[in-house]
C-alpha cells in the first residue's frame, strides 16, 4: 500500500520539476562565494602539508610562505612594500597579476596574524558582555534577564574550556575573509531546509487530499484497508521526506564540496578561532569536528522535516483541502514566530516561545553554537515538537477514523 | 458587468479572504513592523530626518547658499550653547574636556570617556542633532565643491558616469538650491513598499489562484462553456481577476501607506524633490517624494494585477493544487528575494537608462497580457473534455 | 432543423465518431448506445464544447460554431457530470447561470420561480444545494437547462442516480417539453426513452446504425423474439444455442426471453427496444 502512495509522489512531474528549480537556485546560492575559491585553496594547500594545527612549526611555515610570497610579489611589481596590507592601503593602479600576487600574500598575512594571536582573540570573546547586549536588545528584565545571564556564564565557561583544551588552534577557512560558515549553514543549508519544508508540506497535503480530489473516497475508504490508509499516507509522506530531502542535500553538498574543496579540514574543530566572522562569533558547545557538525546539522534538518510532515498531517484535522493545508501551515509558521510578541520581556516564557521549529530554521547558522539560547536548545526543541507533531497527527488520524467521509 | 460581479463574488470567497487576512496580519507583524514601527528608534537616521524636517520648515524644500550660510551659523550657535552647558558638568571637566568636539575627537579610549559619551548621547538629543547638522553641512559643502563631472568620472555617490549620466549629474550639482531629502526616508520607504508588494502577492495567490482549479473540480466548465456567453467567459474572468488583484493591492497599499504617512509623519516630505545631496538614490526624473510614492504605489498596483492574472493563467492549466502551488511558490520566492526590490526601486535609479522602467513594465504588461491573450485564444478552440 | 453533416471526430489516431449524418426536427430523440460508443462525443459537438475533425453541424443551414452565441442562446444542456456550487442555493445558482445565458435579472427571477415549480423544488429554493439529494440536484440541472427556453434541449445521461419514481417524473416532464423543441436524450437506459422518444438514434462502431421510430426499429426482430420456460439445469446449453435477452424465475423454472426460430413451446412475443439494444450490442 505504501508503495502505491509513494508512487503518487515520485511519478509526479511536479515533484521533479521543483527539485530542478530548487537545485538551480541552490547552485546560484553556492556560487555566491565563488570569488573566494582562490584564496580558500591557499589554506587547503597549506593544511595538505600536515599543518592542521597552530603550533610553532606551522606558524613558522606560514611565516616563511608569507615572506617569500611578499618578496616575489614585490619583485613582480618592482616595489618594496613591507606587507601586502601596505600595498592595498595605497591607491596606485597596478596590473591584475600584481594585485593577484599581493592578494595571495594578504591571505597569508591574515592567517598568520590570526594564528599568532589565537589565544588572545579567543580570550577576548566576552560571552557575558554578549549576553548583556542580547538582554538590552530584547529589553529583557527580571526572571528572563536572570536566565539569560546564567546562560551567559555557561557560555563563558565554555570559552575557558576551549582555551584550556586548545581546540581553537585548528586551522580553518578564515571567517572574516570568506564567511564560509554562514555561507554553508546560514545560506545554502538553510535554503535547503526551507525548500525541503516546502516540498514536504506540499507533498503531505497532496497525499492527504488525494482521494478527495480524485473523488475516489467512496471506493478507497470502503475497502479492507479503508480508513487505515490515512495512516499509511502519513508513513509514505515521511518516507518521501527521507528520499527527497536526502536527494536534495546530497546534490547540494555534492556541488558545494566539489566547488569549495575542504580536504584536510574535515577533522578541524568547530571551535577554531578562524571560524568566527566579522560580526558573529562561532564555537560549538561540544568538541565536534567540522564533519561531525555537518552531520549534526543535517540530522537536525531531517528531524525538522519530520516535524513539518507531522504538523502538516495534523492540519488535516481542520481541512483536507490540498490548497488550504499549505496556506494554514504558512500561517502556523508565521504564528509561531510571533507568539513571543505577546509575552512579557520579564518572563522565561519568552524563551520558551522561541523553542519552535520556525525559530530553529531561521537560526540555522547558530545551531549548536555557544551563542544559542542554551546548550540543549536544539534537542529539546526538536523533542518537544516531535511530541506535538505526533500528538496532532494522532488526533487528526483518530478524527478521520470516526468522521463522515461522504 | 453582471458576469464580472458574479465572478468577483466567487473569487472573494470568505474562507480564502479570511486566510488572506490572517496571513497579512502575520506578515505585517513579521516584516512590515520593522520599516514602519522602528522608524523613530533608528538613530542617527531619525535625527537626520528630524533636522532636515526643521530645515524644511524654516527654509522650504530646498537649500540655497544663503540659507546654507544661515544654517551654518545656526549650527555653530547651537553647538556653542551645548558646549556652554557641558562646561558646567563635573563629569566633563573631570576628564579635562570642555566641548563636545573634544570628547568625540579625543584619543583617550578609556572606559570613562566612553561612559561619558554614552551618557550624553542617551540623555540628550543635542549630540545627535549636532552630528546630524555636521553631516548635512559636510555633504552640502562636498556637493557644491564638486566640479563638472565628465564621462568616466565617479558621481557624488560613486557611480561611474557615461555621457547622459554625467549631464544629469551636472544638472543636479548645479542647482541653485539643493533639495532637502534625507536618504533614510527613501531607504525606509522602499523597504516598506517592497514588503507591502510581497504581502499583496501572497494574498493574491491565496485568494485568486485556486479559481479555475476549483471550477474544474466542480465540473462547471461544460455548463459554463455551453451557455450563451460560452468561451467569452474567459475574458470576463480575466477582467474579474484583474479587478480582484487591483482591489486587493489597493486595500493593502492604502493600509500600509496610511500607517506609513500618518504614524511616521512622512507626509511633510511629500513636496521635497528626492534627488538630494543627502540621498544616494538618484533618478532621471525630478520626482517629489509625494510623486515618487504615487508612482511606485501605482507600480505595486500594476504588479499586483499582473500577479493575479498570472495566477489565473496557471490555475487554468494546473491539473491539481500541488502543481499550482509548486509553480507559484518559486515565483513568490523569487519576487520576495530581490525581484520586487529591483522592480519597485532600482528601476528608477539613474544607473540605468531613462527608458528602463518603462521598458521593464511594458515588458511585464506584454508578457502577462500575452499569456492571457494566448490562453484566451486557445480557450476559443480547445476541446472541453471532462 | 439541426443537421449533423458527415461529422467525424478524431483524437490523434483514435476515431471516436466516423461520418455521422443526422437531422433533428422538433420532438424527442433517444440517443441510445452503450458506454464508450460515442454518445457524449456527439453531445459535446452539438453543444460546441468540442469541434468536429471533419464535417459540420448546421442549424437552419448555418454552421453552429460560426453562429457562436446565437446558437448557444438556443440550446439548453444538462451534462453527464453536472457541476454546481454546493454552497449556493438553487436560486443563487440559477441566477448565476442566467447571467451566463444573458437573461436580465428581473426576467430571470420570474423564470427561476416558474422553473423551480416545474421541477417541484420551490420549497427548497433558498436552501444550500449541498443538502440536496442526487435527484434534487438533477432537477436543478433540468431547471438550468430550461432557463433560456431553449429550442434545442440536450440531456446527457440525465437519469443516472435517480430512483424509479424520479425517473417517471422525469419522463413525463420531457414528454411535455418535447412538444415544441428538439429534445436529445442520450442514455444507455432503454426505459428512459422507450415511452417518449419519437425516434431512436443508435451508434455502433463509431458510426450511425439506426435513426428511426421505435416501431420500425423493433420491427427488425419481428417474429424472432420468443419466450419459453427452461429448467435450470438446461440453461447453460440453452444460452449457448440462443441469445438470451432476459431471464426470470417462474414456477421453479427459468422464463427466458430470447432470439431464435419458431419451435413448439416457444411463445412469440413482440420485440421491444431493449431486445434490439441487447441484440445489436451483443459482444
Amino acid at each position: 500500500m505504501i508503495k502505491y502512495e509513494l508512487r503518487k509522489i515520485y511519478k509526479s512531474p511536479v515533484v521533479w520539476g521543483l527539485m530542478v528549480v530548487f537545485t538551480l537556485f541552490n547552485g546560484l546560492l553556492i556560487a555566491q562565494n565563488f570569488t573566494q575559491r582562490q584564496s580558500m585553496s591557499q589554506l587547503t594547500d597549506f593544511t595538505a602539508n600536515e599543518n592542521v594545527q597552530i603550533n610553532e612549526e606551522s606558524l613558522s611555515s606560514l611565516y616563511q610562505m608569507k615572506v617569500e610570497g611578499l618578496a616575489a610579489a614585490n619583485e613582480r611589481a618592482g616595489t618594496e612594500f613591507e606587507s601586502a596590507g601596505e600595498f592595498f592601503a595605497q591607491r596606485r593602479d597596478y596590473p591584475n597579476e600584481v594585485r593577484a600576487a599581493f592578494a595571495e600574500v594578504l591571505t597569508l598575512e591574515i592567517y598568520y596574524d590570526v594564528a599568532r594571536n589565537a589565544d588572545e582573540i579567543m580570550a577576548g570573546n566576552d560571552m557575558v558582555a554578549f549576553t548583556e547586549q542580547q538582554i538590552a536588545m530584547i529589553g529583557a528584565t527580571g526572571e528572563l534577564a536572570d536566565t539569560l545571564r546564567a546562560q551567559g556564564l555557561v557560555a563563558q565557561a565554555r570559552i575557558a574550556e576551549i582555551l584550556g583544551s586548545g581546540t581553537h588552534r585548528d586551522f580553518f577557512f578564515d571567517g572574516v575573509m570568506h564567511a564560509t560558515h554562514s555561507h554553508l549553514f546560514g545560506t545554502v543549508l538553510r535554503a535547503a531546509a526551507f525548500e525541503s519544508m516546502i516540498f514536504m508540506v506540499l507533498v503531505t497535503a497532496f497525499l492527504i487530499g488525494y482521494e478527495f480530489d480524485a473523488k475516489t473516497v467512496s471506493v478507497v475508504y470502503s475497502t479492507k484497508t479503508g480508513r487505515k490508509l490515512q495512516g499509511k499516507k502519513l508513513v509514505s509522506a515521511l518516507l518521501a521526506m527521507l528520499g527527497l530531502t536526502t536527494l536534495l542535500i546530497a546534490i547540494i553538498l555534492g556541488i558545494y564540496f566539489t566547488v569549495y574543496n575542504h580536504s584536510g579540514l574535515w577533522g578541524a574543530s568547530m571551535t577554531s578561532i578562524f571560524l568566527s566572522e566579522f560580526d558573529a562569533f562561532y564555537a560549538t558547545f561540544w568538541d565536534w569536528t567540522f564533519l561531525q557538525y555537518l552531520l549534526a546539522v543535517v540530522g537536525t534538518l531531517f528531524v525538522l522535516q519530520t516535524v513539518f510532515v507531522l504538523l502538516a498531517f495534523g492540519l488535516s484535522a481542520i481541512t483536507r483541502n490540498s490548497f488550504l493545508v499549505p496556506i494554514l501551515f504558512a500561517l502556523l509558521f508565521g504564528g509561531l514566530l510571533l507568539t513571543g510578541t505577546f509575552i512579557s520581556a520579564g518572563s522565561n516564557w519568552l524563551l520558551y516561545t522561541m523553542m519552535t521549529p520556525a525559530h530553529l530554521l531561521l537560526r540555522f547558522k547558530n545551531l549548536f553554537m555557544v551563542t544559542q539560547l542554551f546548550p540543549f536548545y536544539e534537542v529539546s526543541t526538536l523533542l518537544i515538537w516531535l511530541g506535538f507533531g505526533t500528538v496532532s497527527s494522532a488526533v487528526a488520524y483518530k478524527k478521520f477514523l470516526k468522521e463522515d467521509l461522504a | 458587468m453582471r458576469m464580472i460581479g458574479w465572478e468577483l463574488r466567487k473569487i472573494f470567497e470568505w474562507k480564502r479572504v479570511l486566510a488572506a487576512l490572517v496571513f497579512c496580519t502575520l506578515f505585517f507583524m513579521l516584516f512590515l513592523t520593522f520599516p514602519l514601527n522602528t522608524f523613530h528608534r533608528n538613530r542617527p537616521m531619525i535625527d537626520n530626518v528630524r533636522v532636515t524636517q526643521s530645515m524644511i520648515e524654516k527654509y522650504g524644500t530646498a537649500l540655497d547658499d544663503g540659507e546654507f550660510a544661515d544654517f551654518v551659523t545656526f549650527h555653530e550657535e547651537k553647538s556653542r550653547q551645548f558646549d556652554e552647558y557641558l562646561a558646567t558638568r563635573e563629569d566633563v571637566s573631570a576628564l579635562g574636556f570642555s566641548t563636545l568636539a573634544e570628547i568625540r575627537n579625543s584619543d583617550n579610549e578609556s572606559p570613562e570617556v566612553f561612559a561619558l559619551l554614552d551618557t550624553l548621547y542617551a540623555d540628550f538629543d543635542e549630540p545627535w542633532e549636532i552630528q546630524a547638522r555636521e553631516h548635512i553641512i559636510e555633504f552640502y559643502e562636498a556637493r557644491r565643491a564638486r566640479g563638472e563631472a565628465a564621462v568616466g568620472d565617479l558621481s557624488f555617490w560613486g557611480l561611474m558616469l557615461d555621457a547622459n549620466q554625467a549631464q544629469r549629474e551636472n544638472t543636479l550639482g548645479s542647482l541653485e538650491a539643493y533639495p532637502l531629502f534625507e536618504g533614510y526616508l527613501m531607504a525606509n520607504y522602499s523597504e516598506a513598499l517592497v514588503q507591502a508588494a510581497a504581502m499583496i502577492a501572497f494574498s493574491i495567490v491565496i485568494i485568486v489562484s485556486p479559481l479555475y482549479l476549483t471550477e474544474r473540480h466542480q465540473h462547471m466548465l461544460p455548463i459554463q462553456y455551453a451557455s450563451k456567453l460560452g468561451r467569452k467567459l474567459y475574458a470576463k474572468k480575466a477582467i474579474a481577476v484583474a479587478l480582484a488583484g487591483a482591489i486587493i493591492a489597493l486595500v493593502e497599499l492604502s493600509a500600509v501607506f496610511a500607517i506609513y504617512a500618518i504614524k511616521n509623519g512622512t507626509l511633510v516630505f511629500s513636496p521635497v524633490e528626492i534627488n538630494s545631496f543627502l540621498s544616494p538614490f538618484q533618478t532621471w526624473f525630478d520626482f517629489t517624494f509625494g510623486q515618487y510614492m504615487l508612482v511606485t504605489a501605482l507600480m505595486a498596483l500594476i504588479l499586483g494585477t499582473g500577479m493575479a492574472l498570472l495566477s489565473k493563467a496557471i490555475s487554468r492549466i494546473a491539473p491539481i493544487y500541488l502543481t499550482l502551488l509548486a509553480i507559484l511558490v518559486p515565483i513568490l520566492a523569487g519576487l520576495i528575494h530581490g525581484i520586487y526590490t529591483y522592480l519597485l526601486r532600482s528601476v528608477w535609479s539613474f544607473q540605468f537608462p531613462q527608458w528602463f522602467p518603462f521598458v521593464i513594465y511594458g515588458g511585464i504588461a506584454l508578457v502577462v497580457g500575452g499569456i492571457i491573450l494566448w490562453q484566451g485564444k486557445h480557450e476559443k478552440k480547445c476541446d472541453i473534455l471532462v | 432543423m439541426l443537421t449533423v453533416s458527415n461529422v467525424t471526430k478524431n483524437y490523434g489516431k483514435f476515431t471516436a465518431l466516423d461520418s455521422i449524418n443526422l437531422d433533428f426536427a422538433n420532438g424527442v430523440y433517444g440517443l441510445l448506445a452503450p458506454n464508450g460508443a460515442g454518445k457524449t462525443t456527439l453531445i459535446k459537438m452539438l453543444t460546441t464544447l468540442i469541434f468536429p475533425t471533419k464535417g459540420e453541424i448546421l442549424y437552419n443551414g448555418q454552421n453552429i460554431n460560426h453562429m457562436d452565441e446565437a446558437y448557444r442562446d438556443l440550446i439548453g444542456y444538462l451534462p453527464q457530470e453536472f457541476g454546481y456550487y454546493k454552497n449556493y442555493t438553487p436560486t443563487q445558482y440559477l441566477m448565476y447561470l442566467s447571467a451566463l445565458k444573458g437573461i436580465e435579472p428581473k426576467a430571470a427571477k420570474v423564470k427561476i420561480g416558474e422553473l423551480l415549480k416545474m421541477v417541484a423544488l420551490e420549497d427548497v429554493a433558498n436552501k444550500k444545494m449541498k443538502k440536496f439529494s442526487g435527484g434534487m440536484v438533477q432537477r436543478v440541472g433540468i431547471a438550468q437547462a430550461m432557463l433560456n427556453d431553449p429550442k434545442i434541449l440536450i440531456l446527457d445521461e440525465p437519469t443516472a442516480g435517480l430512483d424509479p419514481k424520479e425517473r417517471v417524473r422525469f419522463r413525463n416532464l420531457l414528454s411535455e417539453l418535447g412538444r415544441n423543441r428538439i429534445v436529445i436524450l442520450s442514455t444507455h437506459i432503454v426505459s428512459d426513452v422507450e415511452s417518449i422518444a419519437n425516434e431512436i438514434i443508435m451508434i455502433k462502431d463509431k458510426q450511425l446504425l439506426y435513426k428511426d421510430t421505435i416501431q420500425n426499429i423493433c420491427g427488425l426482430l419481428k417474429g424472432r423474439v420468443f419466450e419459453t420456460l427452461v429448467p435450470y439445469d438446461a440453461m447453460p446449453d440453452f444460452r449457448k444455442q440462443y441469445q438470451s435477452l432476459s431471464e426470470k424465475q417462474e414456477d421453479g423454472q427459468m422464463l427466458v426471453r430470447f432470439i431464435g426460430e419458431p419451435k413448439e413451446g416457444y411463445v412469440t412475443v413482440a420485440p421491444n427496444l431493449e431486445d434490439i439494444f441487447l441484440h445489436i450490442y451483443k459482444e
Side-chain angles (χ1 to χ4, degrees), chain B residues 2-3 6-7 9-10 215 218-220 223-224 227-232 380-381 383-384 386, chain C residues 9 44 48-51 68-69 72-73 79 81-83 85 88 92 95-97 100 103:
Chain B
R2 210 174 16 135
M3 210 51 236
W6 278 103
E7 292 300 319
R9 183 184 158 157
K10 276 192 280 173
E215 297 238 292
Q218 291 168 326
H219 298 288
M220 281 305 296
I223 283 204
Q224 287 170 328
S227 69
K228 182 178 177 183
L229 188 61
R231 292 160 194 256
K232 288 181 192 144
K380 287 212 163 80
K381 296 254 150 35
D383 288 346
I384 307 297
V386 172
Chain C
K9 179 64 180 173
K44 285 196 158 172
T48 72
L49 290 175
I50 62 179
F51 305 101
D68 199 20
E69 69 174 38
R72 290 192 306 276
D73 198 19
E81 280 175 44
F82 164 52
Y85 300 130
Y88 279 32
Q92 287 170 329
M95 283 302 292
Y96 170 68
L97 283 173
L100 276 172
I103 303 170

Side-chain angles (χ1 to χ4, degrees), chain C residues 268-280:
Chain C
T268 311
V269 290
N272 59 33
L273 198 54
E274 181 120 19
D275 298 334
I276 304 292
F277 186 92
L278 289 167
H279 174 61
I280 287 172

Side-chain angles (χ1 to χ4, degrees), chain B residues 10-217:
Chain B
K10 276 192 280 173
I11 290 169
F12 288 108
E13 190 246 329
W14 75 267
K15 279 188 210 144
R16 290 199 300 273
V17 172
L18 181 64
L21 267 169
V22 173
F23 174 85
C24 287
T25 309
L26 292 173
F27 190 96
F28 186 91
M29 290 168 79
L30 279 169
F31 301 108
L32 270 159
T33 40
F34 186 71
L36 293 179
N37 287 352
T38 59
F39 186 76
H40 296 279
R41 293 209 290 270
N42 210 331
R43 303 197 99 153
M45 313 292 202
I46 194 58
D47 300 282
N48 292 356
V49 171
R50 284 198 192 118
V51 168
T52 40
Q53 187 175 342
S54 58
M55 290 170 78
I56 290 166
E57 284 161 13
K58 194 170 176 189
Y59 304 114
T61 60
L63 193 73
D64 61 30
D65 288 346
E67 288 158 343
F68 176 69
D70 186 73
F71 177 68
V72 170
T73 310
F74 173 79
H75 166 65
E76 284 165 358
E77 176 58 26
K78 282 289 187 187
S79 303
R80 193 191 55 75
Q81 283 173 4
F82 190 65
D83 287 340
E84 269 176 21
Y85 162 72
L86 287 179
T88 66
R89 282 178 73 112
E90 277 182 30
D91 52 354
V92 171
S93 47
L95 289 166
F97 300 120
S98 55
T99 68
L100 180 65
E102 281 174 19
I103 307 171
R104 284 165 65 197
N105 299 330
S106 165
D107 286 335
N108 184 347
E109 291 191 353
S110 66
E112 293 83 20
V113 174
F114 284 136
L116 176 63
L117 275 171
D118 280 346
T119 309
L120 291 176
Y121 275 87
D123 294 349
F124 298 96
D125 286 335
E126 278 83 347
W128 299 99
E129 287 167 5
I130 287 168
Q131 216 170 271
R133 287 194 293 267
E134 283 172 0
H135 165 82
I136 292 169
I137 290 167
E138 181 195 334
F139 273 68
Y140 187 96
E141 285 174 343
R143 192 71 181 96
R144 277 284 179 227
R146 280 180 82 85
E148 285 256 318
V151 177
D153 285 350
L154 290 180
S155 74
F156 184 66
W157 293 101
L159 173 73
M160 181 83 82
L161 299 167
D162 64 25
N164 289 331
Q165 288 164 338
Q167 195 177 19
R168 178 68 177 157
E169 174 79 357
N170 292 332
T171 306
L172 291 173
S174 60
L175 287 172
E176 204 182 294
Y178 287 155
L180 281 165
F181 185 75
E182 163 52 44
Y184 173 60
L185 284 166
M186 179 56 75
N188 176 260
Y189 170 74
S190 294
E191 200 194 327
L193 182 69
V194 166
Q195 299 297 355
M199 184 170 74
I200 291 166
F202 274 97
S203 32
I204 281 173
V205 162
I206 293 172
I207 293 175
V208 171
S209 68
L211 177 71
Y212 256 117
L213 250 178
T214 314
E215 297 238 292
R216 282 220 307 278
H217 282 185

Side-chain angles (χ1 to χ4, degrees), chain B residues 344-361:
Chain B
L344 286 167
R345 180 195 151 133
S346 307
V347 283
W348 291 110
S349 167
F350 94 137
Q351 70 180 133
F352 299 113
Q354 217 169 339
W355 44 258
F356 195 65
F358 304 103
V359 167
I360 292 288
Y361 275 78

Side-chain angles (χ1 to χ4, degrees), chain B residues 166-365:
Chain B
Q167 195 177 19
R168 178 68 177 157
E169 174 79 357
N170 292 332
T171 306
L172 291 173
S174 60
L175 287 172
E176 204 182 294
Y178 287 155
L180 281 165
F181 185 75
E182 163 52 44
Y184 173 60
L185 284 166
M186 179 56 75
N188 176 260
Y189 170 74
S190 294
E191 200 194 327
L193 182 69
V194 166
Q195 299 297 355
M199 184 170 74
I200 291 166
F202 274 97
S203 32
I204 281 173
V205 162
I206 293 172
I207 293 175
V208 171
S209 68
L211 177 71
Y212 256 117
L213 250 178
T214 314
E215 297 238 292
R216 282 220 307 278
H217 282 185
Q218 291 168 326
H219 298 288
M220 281 305 296
L221 259 58
I223 283 204
Q224 287 170 328
Y225 280 35
S227 69
K228 182 178 177 183
L229 188 61
R231 292 160 194 256
K232 288 181 192 144
L233 182 60
Y234 182 86
K236 302 276 180 195
K237 277 190 148 91
I239 296 169
V241 160
L243 270 173
I247 291 168
I248 294 167
L250 206 58
V251 165
E252 293 185 20
L253 280 171
S254 305
V256 171
F257 270 85
I259 296 169
Y260 178 75
I262 296 166
K263 193 169 197 273
N264 293 336
T266 43
L267 270 179
V268 70
F269 291 95
S270 300
V272 184
E273 279 191 20
I274 60 174
N275 293 307
S276 159
F277 67 105
L278 294 169
S279 170
F281 185 71
Q282 307 278 292
T283 77
W284 291 103
F285 304 94
D286 296 327
F287 289 123
T288 63
F289 188 43
Q291 289 166 340
Y292 183 75
M293 283 198 285
L294 264 171
V295 166
T296 48
L298 187 63
M299 287 154 72
L301 194 72
I302 292 170
L303 288 173
T305 309
M307 188 69 211
L309 286 170
L310 193 64
S311 302
K312 170 198 187 307
I314 296 169
S315 171
R316 180 65 183 98
I317 56 168
I320 50 177
Y321 291 121
L322 172 68
T323 313
L324 177 67
L325 288 171
I327 296 173
L328 285 171
V329 165
I331 292 174
L332 286 170
L335 289 178
I336 63 175
H337 272 98
I339 296 180
Y340 264 177
T341 307
Y342 197 64
L343 288 176
L344 286 167
R345 180 195 151 133
S346 307
V347 283
W348 291 110
S349 167
F350 94 137
Q351 70 180 133
F352 299 113
Q354 217 169 339
W355 44 258
F356 195 65
F358 304 103
V359 167
I360 292 288
Y361 275 78
I364 291 171

Side-chain angles (χ1 to χ4, degrees), chain A residues 10-293:
Chain A
Y10 73 71
K11 283 212 151 199
S12 164
V14 167
V15 166
W16 301 109
L18 257 187
M19 183 67 79
V20 168
V21 168
F22 286 154
T23 304
L24 286 172
F25 178 67
N26 294 333
L28 284 173
L29 289 181
I30 290 171
Q32 269 178 9
N33 237 17
F34 202 71
T35 48
Q36 302 297 319
R37 266 185 90 203
Q38 175 58 27
S39 56
M40 279 166 74
S41 66
Q42 284 183 258
L43 180 71
T44 44
D45 290 342
F46 181 69
T47 53
N49 296 324
E50 310 279 321
N51 292 316
V52 291
Q53 283 220 314
I54 300 170
N55 48 39
E56 272 194 38
E57 201 184 312
S58 60
L59 271 176
S60 152
S61 183
L62 199 50
Y63 181 78
Q64 202 56 34
M65 284 171 68
K66 177 175 85 98
V67 163
E68 285 166 13
L70 183 64
N74 269 326
E75 197 185 314
R76 212 175 194 153
T79 53
E80 284 181 9
F81 290 107
E82 297 210 348
S83 70
E86 206 184 291
F87 170 84
F88 284 104
Q90 57 82 40
R91 287 178 176 271
R92 231 188 100 188
D93 217 2
Y94 283 92
N96 282 339
E97 319 88 73
V98 169
R99 296 186 79 82
F102 274 102
E104 278 193 25
V105 180
L106 184 68
T107 303
L108 293 170
E109 282 176 9
I110 291 171
Y111 276 108
Y112 180 73
D113 278 337
V114 173
R116 202 158 52 104
N117 297 303
D119 292 343
E120 286 88 351
I121 296 170
M122 181 53 80
N125 285 304
D126 188 345
M127 294 311 298
V128 172
F130 173 77
T131 308
E132 290 301 326
Q133 267 176 28
Q134 299 290 99
I135 289 169
M137 209 168 70
I138 308 171
T141 58
E143 182 191 43
L144 178 62
D146 291 341
T147 308
L148 290 174
R149 284 192 184 104
Q151 290 309 318
L153 290 172
V154 168
Q156 192 61 36
R158 174 62 182 149
I159 303 286
E161 192 186 23
I162 292 169
L163 274 167
S165 63
T167 51
H168 62 296
R169 298 174 74 84
D170 277 6
F171 276 100
F172 199 73
F173 295 119
D174 183 72
V176 175
M177 267 201 293
H178 308 302
T180 53
H181 180 84
S182 53
H183 181 234
L184 174 58
F185 296 99
T187 303
V188 175
L189 279 176
R190 195 178 84 150
F194 267 105
E195 288 157 9
S196 186
M197 178 181 76
I198 291 168
F199 250 138
M200 288 343 300
V201 172
L202 288 179
V203 161
T204 309
F206 169 65
L207 276 184
I208 293 168
Y210 194 89
E211 315 309 332
F212 295 88
D213 290 338
K215 297 202 189 332
T216 49
V217 170
S218 315
V219 169
V220 166
Y221 292 117
S222 60
T223 59
K224 183 178 174 187
T225 306
R227 292 167 189 245
K228 290 193 196 130
L229 180 64
Q230 213 65 352
K232 295 191 193 280
K233 284 181 185 286
L234 174 59
V235 172
S236 307
L238 288 167
L239 287 173
M241 177 276 291
L242 273 174
L244 289 170
T245 307
T246 304
L247 186 60
L248 193 66
I249 300 293
I251 294 174
I252 287 176
L253 291 180
I255 297 174
Y256 185 88
F257 289 114
T258 305
V259 174
Y260 304 108
N261 182 15
H262 276 58
S263 58
L265 295 175
W266 296 98
S269 171
M270 284 305 287
T271 55
S272 163
I273 191 63
F274 292 98
L275 204 57
S276 297
E277 296 171 11
F278 178 67
D279 55 357
F281 172 63
Y282 296 117
T284 48
F285 265 114
W286 300 277
D287 289 333
W288 285 345
T289 63
F290 173 70
L291 178 61
Q292 287 169 332
Y293 181 76

